[in-house]
Amino acid sequence: MPVTNYNKMHDKITYKISKKVSEVDPFKAYKMQQEGSLLIDIREQSELYLGKPLNSTHIPKSQLEITLLNVINDLDVSLLIICSSGKRSLFAAYILKELGFKNVFSVSGGFENWKNSELPYSIPEKDKPNRYIRQILIPEIGKIGQQKINKSKILIIGMGGIGCPAALYLAAAGIGHIGIIDNDLVDLNNLHRQILYSEKDIGKSKVLSAKDKLEQLNSEITIMPYEVRINSENINSIILNYDMVLDATDNFETRNVINNACIRHKKPNIQSSVFLFEGQISTFHPNFSTNAPCYRCLYSEFPPAFLSPSCSEIGVLGILPGLMGVLAATEALKIILDIKTNLIGKLLVLDLLEMDFSVYNIQKNKNCNYCSSIKNTDH
Ligand SMILES: [Zn+2]
């Protein structure tokens, strides 16, 4: 049947029914409710996040007739039926009249009209929309896991190609407090991989631009920008305020500073890096167990500078730091949720050229100058 014909038929039937059912506007309905009429909201459960008239009874349309016939003996009772726009209530009221209820009224314009008329309504706590519901449904997360996420504080050092996607996903997941450190300004050649920034940010502070974008994504969390270059002095006072560190820097010297501070302050250090088509990620947490290595257990000697050129010298495929940032964010959530299959004591190596993901066990160096003196402490 053509849609236009169907619409015409629908309008015709609605018109016919409206002649048989009494409609009242929301003001009249509210007055009648105060005088003892029963106001029944027949919308689906999923619609109630918008709110429902105060002191109304919720019975979804699919259960309306059976429920009323079971609980109401008096066919003279005054019933006010409300839906979202006043159409479903018209049909529902019509059927109730056919069943013998003598005083049934449909509220014209439905809840939309009720709300616009500034009549009282409430949003039940259980019906309030929850932006995290899709991840709360995951058994490993649940409501308790989400609360842990919301209470967590993560420090991201370096807001470049790895830090940007990590911050985006952590903000979206609801990490309650995210610190972001970088002293650079946005440059045109950053835009192919540092996805928090756009052309209008060029020349502006990375951390302030990032804060702006992240707050647009999630206004319920706190973003703390630090427009500094991290060093062995300023890191100590900053790191104290966080549960863990996400090292998204691009040089050995800074990674070493972060490694030392994380050992000293007993913070997990999720460290990722990129080189050509290869990415690496691990979580260093030598305070976690006697076997857990630190960054310097893995790299006791740093290669000379000419063997470790930066992205600006050798180029980088924008997608690779994007992937590493997403993996780092995943690892952060797993540490928060205490999911044991994390990367403590393991190194994940991605080779995008071969499309190969490999995980290697990495050992603690018993003679490591940086973490070997740490005794196993309670995690
Ligand atoms: Zn070590």
Side-chain angles (χ1 to χ4, degrees):
M1 184 192 300
V3 173
T4 45
N5 285 351
Y6 171 80
N7 285 342
K8 271 183 197 159
M9 196 178 78
H10 180 266
D11 288 348
K12 233 171 162 180
I13 294 172
T14 307
Y15 178 75
K16 232 169 145 182
I17 287 178
S18 69
K19 291 284 150 203
K20 296 185 177 178
V21 173
S22 305
E23 283 187 286
V24 290
D25 66 34
F27 290 109
K28 171 81 174 159
Y30 179 61
K31 191 164 177 287
M32 289 171 72
Q33 187 195 18
Q34 303 307 304
E35 290 164 358
S37 295
L38 191 58
L39 178 59
I40 301 173
D41 190 328
I42 60 161
R43 290 173 299 160
E44 297 302 317
Q45 184 72 37
S46 58
E47 296 172 271
L48 298 188
Y49 70 93
L50 297 166
K52 69 191 256 295
L54 205 63
N55 299 324
S56 60
T57 302
H58 175 234
I59 308 173
K61 190 167 181 290
S62 57
Q63 295 161 30
L64 185 65
E65 300 85 3
I66 297 288
T67 309
L68 286 185
L69 289 172
N70 276 335
V71 298
I72 296 179
N73 297 318
D74 179 9
L75 292 174
D76 289 323
V77 68
S78 175
L79 301 173
L80 296 155
I81 311 297
I82 191 167
C83 63
S84 59
S85 66
K87 276 188 182 165
R88 277 176 289 175
S89 58
L90 212 54
F91 283 82
Y94 175 73
I95 292 167
L96 291 175
K97 280 196 88 172
E98 290 290 304
L99 289 172
F101 289 96
K102 291 175 190 146
N103 300 302
V104 192
F105 305 89
S106 169
V107 180
S108 62
F111 180 66
E112 231 168 88
N113 199 10
W114 181 281
K115 214 170 168 181
N116 291 338
S117 305
E118 296 182 0
L119 290 165
Y121 70 93
S122 65
I123 302 177
E125 195 59 40
K126 69 178 173 59
D127 294 318
K128 280 189 180 164
N130 189 330
R131 64 188 301 152
Y132 307 116
I133 189 65
R134 296 293 193 274
Q135 67 188 27
I136 288 174
L137 290 171
I138 299 171
E140 285 81 358
I141 299 180
K143 278 190 178 170
I144 292 173
Q146 186 61 47
Q147 284 166 6
K148 283 185 190 170
I149 292 170
N150 295 146
K151 281 182 192 161
S152 292
K153 298 177 175 184
I154 296 185
L155 180 64
I156 303 176
I157 306 178
M159 287 303 289
I162 295 171
C164 283
L168 262 176
Y169 275 98
L170 291 175
I175 297 294
H177 189 115
I178 302 176
I180 49 175
I181 302 184
D182 207 305
N183 69 334
D184 267 355
L185 304 179
V186 178
D187 191 282
L188 179 65
N189 68 31
N190 297 150
L191 301 188
H192 91 295
R193 67 189 187 285
Q194 301 182 12
I195 54 165
L196 271 176
Y197 316 123
S198 52
E199 291 175 7
K200 69 177 177 54
D201 299 317
I202 292 170
K204 293 182 186 166
S205 151
K206 281 189 179 176
V207 285
L208 295 182
S209 301
K211 175 180 161 65
D212 191 38
K213 301 282 167 54
L214 296 168
E215 284 176 346
Q216 282 179 41
L217 169 64
N218 192 342
S219 60
E220 295 173 4
I221 62 171
T222 303
I223 307 294
M224 179 64 71
Y226 300 89
E227 210 171 353
V228 295
R229 185 171 176 83
I230 205 78
N231 58 44
S232 55
E233 278 145 36
N234 61 18
I235 194 169
N236 291 302
S237 57
I238 298 174
I239 206 175
L240 278 174
N241 301 312
Y242 294 89
D243 303 320
M244 72 180 71
V245 173
L246 209 148
D247 177 355
T249 61
D250 62 357
N251 64 82
F252 288 107
E253 192 189 322
T254 313
R255 285 180 206 144
N256 191 44
V257 166
I258 295 168
N259 185 55
N260 289 342
C262 285
I263 292 170
R264 193 175 311 123
H265 297 287
K266 301 180 180 174
K267 310 284 183 188
N269 172 18
I270 300 165
Q271 201 273 322
S272 51
S273 59
V274 295
F275 184 78
L276 296 174
F277 279 89
E278 191 181 285
Q280 295 191 354
I281 176 169
S282 182
T283 299
F284 300 108
H285 194 12
N287 304 86
F288 181 73
S289 80
T290 44
N291 299 318
C294 80
Y295 178 60
R296 297 307 300 269
C297 295
L298 183 64
Y299 295 109
S300 55
E301 300 290 330
F302 289 153
F306 72 91
L307 281 178
S308 55
S310 67
C311 293
S312 60
E313 294 165 85
I314 57 162
V316 59
L317 182 71
I319 297 159
L320 178 60
L323 276 171
M324 300 314 293
V326 171
L327 288 173
T330 310
E331 185 66 4
L333 292 184
K334 288 176 79 173
I335 300 287
I336 290 165
L337 297 166
D338 204 20
I339 295 174
K340 302 295 182 195
T341 49
N342 53 47
L343 291 173
I344 294 176
K346 289 175 184 160
L347 182 71
L348 170 62
V349 180
L350 256 75
D351 181 346
L352 286 194
L353 210 51
E354 299 293 330
M355 276 302 178
D356 181 60
F357 285 54
S358 299
V359 180
Y360 303 94
N361 288 324
I362 46 177
Q363 304 298 324
K364 187 184 184 77
N365 176 1
K366 302 288 178 204
N367 301 316
C368 174
N369 290 330
Y370 299 86
C371 71
S372 59
S373 60
I374 293 175
K375 297 207 166 58
N376 188 10
T377 52
D378 288 334
H379 178 59

